Amino acid sequence: MFELRRLEKFDEYFIKLSLRRERGVYFYRISRYSEEIHAFLLRYFEEARRTGVLVEGRIPNPDEKNLSYYEEIMGMDFRMSQDFFSDSLRKWLPRMKEAPRRDVAEALYDTFDGMKKEGKNENMRKNAYIKFMCWLYYRFERMVNRLGEEDVPKILYEGQISLYELRLLHILARAGCDVVLLQKNGDGEYGKVDPEFRYFAAREGEGGRDFPEGYGIRAIRTEWEEKQRLGRLYGPPPRWTCAVNTWCSGDIGKDLLSEERTRGTDTNLIYNAFFKIRGVENKLTWRNEWYQLQLQLKNREKPIVVVNGEIPPPTPDEIAGIRRENGRNLEQLLPGLAGNISDPSNPELKKMLVKVFYDQMLEENRKLAGNLNKLMNRGVYLLCWLKRYGPALFQNWREPKTAAFFYLGGCKNENEVFFIRYLARLPVDVILLIPDGNERFAFADPLLFEKDYEERLAVERFPQENTGAMMETAAYHAERELDTLMYQDTGMYRNFQYEKATTITLRTMYEEISILWDQEVKYRPNFSVVNGVVNIPVILGKVSGVKDGDVQGYWQELRKLATPDAFVVRQAPYIRSTDDNPIKPYVTGFIRNGRLQREKICSHEAYPYGFLREEMQKHMLDKLQLLLDRKTIRGTFENGTEYTVLAVVLNLPKELVRLMQKFDFTKKNPKLVCINASEAMYSREDAILTAFLNLVGFDIVFYTPTGYQNIEKHFNQRWIEEYQIGEYLYDLQVPGFGTMPSSNRLSWREKFFRRGS
């Protein structure tokens, strides 16, 4: 009889009988789903359909007609004898070969002997014997006649199996067939039949999860039939296929530098690599090692493509260049898309490109549950990127050569994963490098070789000769490690340590304004740093009236706010719509569908902030977009106010821009103090300036001794906390102190107060 062997990998199910280890077969149950499991079941279904039996739900018990025929042919005798079982099988199943018949007879005897030891009487064993014989004849007759052949017959059983079915499948396995028990609802019911799990061993693929709704033999059959129906799309098969990672030693650098002809001996295979490396083995040498490796590959004239950070999405022109038809089914959709794969110099290579494209699209169609619109979009992205990178990868290709595709940073979305998996099944060595370990979109692929290192290294660009490779000294790394120790979760922060920030407006008592005003933001309530983003608590308020009518004390209180980081506005309006604005004529082209056209803005000759730190420029544009998204200013995206918002923000006073340039998100933040003692109103442009500076991180306080409304009318909702501190006073003369934006000549009173400030 055959032994039930331990399965190392799913492919062993499909090995010829003579090449198997010690006459072994495989007897496994599957109760978890993964892409690897599905691929195996799809192939196993095809083999079971061809050489064995598919069982959906329980095998029906023999009916009266079945039992009558059995009794007519075989009688109702039953003896606990291996010879009796063998003779009965010869008569009942005359086409069964001699060796398998002996194996089945021996397995039957062992099974009934076990039942006897369990206390089952002879009548119970006889009933089981007749049931088994009927099942063998009516359900498994075609399969048992193939026992002992090179293609090992297979049984795929889906459902909650009964004890007698379990025993019969075990008998057939010991006689020489493979069995898979598909438990799509988990092992709960199976455990009731086989509490000690003595029969079926468990087998799971990587990333196992619950089976999708509706999964089973019927769904597998539907997909298999669809693949058969679509098979004619492929045309003649390519001469070569790729053997991904089958040849690798695990020494990644050595593997990538190996000559393709030394990677394997099968001339019908092209041996390529598919690697993902998280972290770095040595921070001191990482850049130099990869720099030297790409130089060696280049010296061997190996085509190299490098992508840093992300694969740029297809442009509108690239998308428009893809011919496609909105087919109602795959037979219409796929050929139209595949027609975009241009004819490279080698016709066999085109066959590979097309075949792998069909393979990937059919697999993706199953994942997307037949959503043809999503499938078409996925295919269009892939073809755009193939047109973009294909010429560099496959120009003048000759087997068994491979190109190299380095992607620094790892995949960011499903479209990128789809493209990377496509490349990895072509003559391309695909290497995903994630030196900082921050993989933003993890994915699994049965062909992928992954390696993890504990050390992390922040790298912006792959070290290439034409990009000005930069290497670090040991002292530099030591300083960075010291930075990590000192400035990571310690409450201490390096100068300009963070590049991103968001603001939290504090609701405070009036007396707290002067307390918090000159304080570093890291000491304020609700300050935090989360995932590299600083949450800055800021002040935003309007102070109405004069406390106790004390004008002198009122101005003294304001003078305390005129710190070096403060910008003081002493008039209303501060910005007028008629003021000169050199960028205003161009702003209509800076926004599309509510989104800033950042590249267009930053490359425009009138753009005024190109001299600022890059991270501050990005911060300002982020907050400008947020101001538009929130529609804080009344009329945004209703009457063209959004263009006024752009014009104001892109033409800030020089003094404010300088305050932003030196703004460190964890230290003191810049301030804006607005004083309006008259009946004049602030302009819409003033409201835009205020709202924008609040998002950037400014503390902002309006002082209005008259208590009049002024700037509020320009906002869509109540936005500023108002403090009523005393009686309203009118016609006050604002003294000069702090930074004065106005260029007006000072009065003697203003000069006096300024001298004392």
Side-chain angles (χ1 to χ4, degrees):
M1 287 189 297
F2 286 77
E3 294 292 330
L4 308 186
R5 297 297 179 187
R6 184 174 184 275
L7 187 69
E8 298 293 338
K9 52 185 180 180
F10 286 114
D11 286 348
E12 291 178 288
Y13 258 107
F14 309 107
I15 296 175
K16 300 288 186 183
L17 179 62
S18 61
L19 300 178
R20 293 196 175 186
R21 296 170 287 161
E22 306 174 30
R23 282 173 58 84
V25 294
Y26 303 107
F27 196 74
Y28 277 84
R29 72 181 191 277
I30 295 174
S31 56
R32 299 285 286 169
Y33 176 83
S34 70
E35 299 304 325
E36 181 186 13
I37 288 289
H38 175 74
F40 162 72
L41 288 174
L42 194 61
R43 183 177 177 187
Y44 190 87
F45 166 87
E46 184 172 2
E47 290 295 312
R49 177 184 172 278
R50 184 174 62 87
T51 67
V53 175
L54 300 166
V55 181
E56 299 179 65
R58 291 188 172 178
I59 307 170
N61 284 324
D63 57 23
E64 289 296 329
K65 186 177 180 181
N66 300 148
L67 293 172
S68 295
Y69 181 71
Y70 175 81
E71 183 176 2
E72 178 183 341
I73 301 300
M74 301 296 296
M76 299 301 286
D77 290 344
F78 174 76
R79 293 197 304 274
M80 275 290 293
S81 162
Q82 191 169 324
D83 289 338
F84 169 77
F85 296 143
S86 182
D87 292 340
S88 298
L89 289 168
R90 184 180 292 109
K91 182 178 180 181
W92 183 238
L93 298 166
R95 295 198 299 160
M96 188 187 295
K97 300 180 183 71
E98 183 63 30
R101 183 163 52 245
R102 289 197 304 267
D103 290 338
V104 172
E106 184 178 351
L108 281 169
Y109 181 84
D110 289 347
T111 298
F112 292 127
D113 185 56
M115 292 175 65
K116 182 178 180 181
K117 292 175 181 177
E118 292 172 1
K120 301 297 189 290
N121 59 39
E122 183 172 347
N123 190 54
M124 296 173 71
R125 283 176 278 139
K126 176 182 176 181
N127 289 338
Y129 167 73
I130 294 173
K131 178 180 289 191
F132 288 167
M133 293 293 277
C134 287
W135 280 347
L136 288 173
Y137 182 84
Y138 290 108
R139 198 70 178 85
F140 294 96
E141 193 268 347
R142 184 177 78 98
M143 192 208 73
V144 296
N145 297 329
R146 305 192 65 151
L147 291 172
E149 294 182 0
E150 273 292 276
D151 289 334
V152 180
K154 292 172 171 45
I155 298 173
L156 176 58
Y157 184 110
E158 175 203 339
Q160 302 302 334
I161 196 167
S162 68
L163 179 58
Y164 285 105
E165 290 174 310
L166 179 59
R167 285 171 171 161
L168 178 64
L169 295 187
H170 191 255
I171 289 168
L172 291 172
R174 296 181 67 191
C177 76
D178 294 322
V179 183
V180 168
L181 175 63
L182 178 56
Q183 299 281 277
K184 63 181 184 180
N185 295 322
D187 282 337
E189 292 298 320
Y190 176 80
K192 297 176 182 178
V193 177
D194 181 16
E196 298 178 2
F197 294 92
R198 293 189 301 113
Y199 288 95
F200 280 100
R203 182 71 187 185
E204 291 187 13
E206 292 187 7
R209 56 189 185 276
D210 291 343
F211 280 92
E213 186 71 26
Y215 192 85
I217 289 178
R218 183 173 300 178
I220 294 171
R221 179 185 288 109
T222 299
E223 182 175 345
W224 179 83
E225 290 173 348
E226 183 179 73
K227 290 190 74 171
Q228 295 300 111
R229 188 176 71 252
L230 296 172
R232 62 180 179 271
L233 298 176
Y234 283 79
R239 176 181 170 186
W240 299 290
T241 56
C242 286
V244 186
N245 288 347
T246 58
W247 52 277
C248 296
S249 67
D251 184 338
I252 291 176
K254 180 181 177 181
D255 288 338
L256 291 176
L257 290 171
S258 63
E259 290 286 348
E260 287 87 352
R261 294 190 185 278
T262 67
R263 294 178 175 183
T265 58
D266 192 332
T267 56
N268 293 317
L269 296 177
I270 294 172
Y271 297 90
N272 68 317
F274 187 19
F275 298 149
K276 180 161 67 175
I277 310 164
R278 297 186 197 86
V280 299
E281 187 174 11
N282 188 318
K283 289 191 289 189
L284 290 176
T285 61
W286 186 90
R287 281 187 173 86
N288 186 54
E289 287 173 350
W290 285 99
Y291 176 70
Q292 297 297 333
L293 185 142
Q294 64 91 20
L295 283 182
Q296 293 180 63
L297 295 178
K298 189 177 293 184
N299 290 337
R300 295 180 183 179
E301 298 184 351
K302 189 182 186 85
I304 297 176
V305 169
V306 173
V307 174
N308 292 295
E310 69 171 345
I311 303 176
T315 65
D317 289 341
E318 287 177 319
I319 293 174
I322 301 299
R323 302 182 305 277
R324 53 196 181 274
E325 296 180 6
N326 294 319
R328 289 178 293 179
N329 53 48
L330 287 174
E331 291 97 322
Q332 294 175 343
L333 176 67
L334 294 186
L337 289 174
N340 290 278
I341 299 177
S342 58
D343 188 4
S345 56
N346 191 313
E348 289 297 324
L349 175 60
K350 181 179 180 181
K351 290 181 184 178
M352 291 181 65
L353 296 174
V354 172
K355 179 186 181 303
V356 176
F357 176 74
Y358 280 136
D359 288 343
Q360 290 290 101
M361 291 291 282
L362 289 174
E363 181 181 344
E364 196 70 10
N365 182 58
R366 178 179 52 78
K367 292 181 183 177
L368 296 174
N371 188 320
L372 291 184
N373 285 331
K374 288 185 177 180
L375 182 66
M376 183 175 68
N377 292 337
R378 196 84 84 221
V380 168
Y381 265 66
L382 184 150
L383 292 168
C384 287
W385 285 331
L386 180 61
K387 282 192 171 186
R388 183 190 300 172
Y389 300 114
L393 292 170
F394 302 122
Q395 188 174 18
N396 301 321
W397 179 83
R398 290 293 181 271
E399 65 85 22
K401 292 295 184 181
T402 60
F405 186 91
F406 293 96
Y407 186 4
L408 180 69
C411 296
K412 306 299 183 295
N413 53 56
E414 289 282 4
N415 287 322
E416 291 191 0
V417 169
F418 190 55
F419 179 63
I420 289 297
R421 295 181 73 239
Y422 175 73
L423 282 187
R425 287 151 174 82
L426 297 171
V428 182
D429 293 336
V430 178
I431 305 97
L432 307 177
L433 298 169
I434 312 171
D436 63 359
N438 183 22
E439 188 175 9
R440 286 186 274 175
F441 193 91
F443 70 96
D445 190 306
L447 302 182
L448 181 62
F449 176 79
E450 302 186 52
K451 198 154 191 174
D452 290 277
Y453 295 107
E454 291 186 2
E455 290 199 57
R456 299 291 187 254
L457 179 66
V459 181
E460 293 183 358
R461 301 187 67 80
F462 183 84
Q464 282 181 282
E465 188 176 21
N466 61 355
T467 57
M470 300 176 64
M471 311 295 172
E472 298 89 2
T473 65
Y476 176 87
H477 281 287
E479 183 184 39
R480 296 280 76 78
E481 289 177 359
L482 182 61
D483 279 355
T484 301
L485 292 173
M486 291 183 63
Y487 303 119
Q488 202 82 3
D489 301 323
T490 63
M492 300 171 59
Y493 301 100
R494 188 175 64 247
N495 289 338
F496 299 103
Q497 181 171 348
Y498 298 102
E499 299 180 0
K500 296 182 178 180
T502 186
T503 56
I504 301 171
T505 301
L506 296 174
R507 300 188 69 178
T508 68
M509 296 176 58
Y510 168 69
E511 289 75 14
E512 289 181 286
I513 293 177
S514 60
I515 297 172
L516 298 173
W517 189 257
D518 203 29
Q519 193 177 72
E520 292 190 1
V521 294
K522 64 184 177 183
Y523 300 123
R524 291 182 176 180
N526 302 299
F527 172 85
S528 64
V529 179
V530 180
N531 296 327
V533 178
V534 183
N535 294 308
I536 306 173
V538 298
I539 297 168
L540 176 63
K542 174 185 175 183
V543 181
S544 295
V546 177
K547 189 175 183 179
D548 300 327
D550 181 3
V551 176
Q552 188 68 22
Y554 183 74
W555 297 131
Q556 289 293 338
E557 190 69 26
L558 265 69
R559 181 176 289 109
K560 295 176 184 177
L561 304 186
T563 62
D565 295 312
F567 184 79
V568 181
V569 173
R570 301 168 51 249
Q571 62 191 33
Y574 173 57
I575 302 175
R576 294 175 172 83
S577 60
T578 57
D579 289 349
D580 182 52
N581 189 328
I583 205 167
K584 190 173 183 178
Y586 310 108
V587 295
T588 54
F590 290 168
I591 189 170
R592 179 184 297 172
N593 297 326
R595 308 302 299 174
L596 294 177
Q597 304 298 296
R598 298 190 181 214
E599 290 187 10
K600 190 171 183 179
I601 293 173
C602 295
S603 62
H604 197 279
E605 60 182 9
Y607 176 63
Y609 305 139
F611 56 86
L612 294 179
R613 294 180 288 126
E614 284 191 14
E615 56 269 26
M616 179 50 68
Q617 293 184 55
K618 184 176 185 304
H619 180 66
M620 292 170 68
L621 291 176
D622 287 344
K623 302 315 173 187
L624 173 54
Q625 181 67 63
L626 183 59
L627 181 59
L628 293 171
D629 293 342
R630 289 184 176 179
K631 300 180 182 179
T632 304
I633 305 301
R634 187 168 295 167
T636 302
F637 297 119
E638 294 176 2
N639 56 19
T641 298
E642 61 272 15
Y643 300 121
T644 306
V645 172
L646 266 67
V648 171
V649 171
L650 295 176
N651 188 47
L652 297 176
K654 177 176 63 177
E655 295 86 352
L656 289 175
V657 175
R658 288 177 175 177
L659 289 176
M660 292 183 197
Q661 169 68 3
K662 70 174 186 176
F663 180 22
D664 187 335
F665 296 147
T666 62
K667 297 181 170 58
K668 290 183 180 180
N669 60 328
K671 329 285 183 184
L672 176 68
V673 180
C674 299
I675 309 168
N676 184 5
S678 69
E679 297 178 357
M681 302 292 289
Y682 286 110
S683 65
R684 179 174 57 176
E685 288 75 9
D686 294 336
I688 293 169
L689 175 68
T690 304
F692 173 71
L693 294 182
N694 169 258
L695 294 176
V696 168
F698 276 60
D699 288 335
I700 303 173
V701 181
F702 290 88
Y703 278 85
T704 311
T706 62
Y708 291 150
Q709 288 198 50
N710 41 47
I711 204 165
E712 293 93 332
K713 70 174 185 176
H714 299 295
F715 300 122
N716 271 323
Q717 57 188 7
R718 181 180 176 182
W719 181 60
I720 302 175
E721 186 75 14
E722 185 172 7
Y723 304 94
Q724 298 287 346
I725 65 169
E727 62 180 292
Y728 298 149
L729 298 180
Y730 308 97
D731 301 322
L732 298 182
Q733 294 296 314
V734 181
F737 45 78
T739 303
M740 292 185 300
S742 175
S743 60
N744 296 337
R745 179 173 296 181
L746 303 180
S747 66
W748 69 268
R749 184 183 290 103
E750 290 170 329
K751 290 179 182 178
F752 175 82
F753 280 110
R754 182 172 177 80
R755 190 181 305 120
S757 63

